[in-house]
Amino acid sequence: CKKHNVCVEGGKYPAAMLVKELRTGALDGRKWYYSDSPVMNVDEKEAAAYDDSLEKMEKKWMPSQEAFYIMSHSFVE
C-alpha cells in the first residue's frame, strides 16, 4: 500500500495490506485512504452457524499463523 500511497486512518501503511493498480496510473500518485466496507461487518453468530454446517476439520496451529499475526499488526512508516 505504501508503493501506491494508500494508507489507513492516521496516515499509517499496514505492512500486510496489498494494493494493486488494475489500470496503470489509476491511483495517480495522490494519497488515498482505505476504509472498511460495511459488507465486512460479519455477524459472529451467523458465521458460527455457517461454520457448523461445514465438514468438521481438525483445528491446529501452524508456524505461518504467527508470522501472519506479526505482519498484520505491523506498519510501514
Side-chain angles (χ1 to χ4, degrees), residues 2-55:
K2 176 115 174 140
K3 175 183 174 183
H4 292 293
N5 211 18
V6 178
C7 63
V8 294
E9 188 175 320
K12 291 186 173 187
Y13 300 93
M17 179 189 267
L18 301 176
V19 173
K20 176 156 179 72
E21 267 189 322
L22 299 179
R23 187 178 319 156
T24 302
L27 296 175
D28 67 15
R30 290 184 287 162
K31 189 168 204 159
W32 297 89
Y33 290 88
Y34 169 83
S35 61
D36 281 336
S37 168
V39 76
M40 299 302 288
N41 296 331
V42 175
D43 181 300
E44 295 297 328
K45 288 182 182 178
E46 286 183 24
Y50 175 78
D51 287 348
D52 290 342
S53 75
L54 301 172
E55 180 181 339

Side-chain angles (χ1 to χ4, degrees), residues 57-69:
M57 296 178 67
E58 176 188 356
K59 289 188 177 186
K60 58 184 176 180
W61 180 87
M62 300 294 287
S64 60
Q65 289 172 272
E66 184 68 19
F68 178 77
Y69 178 84

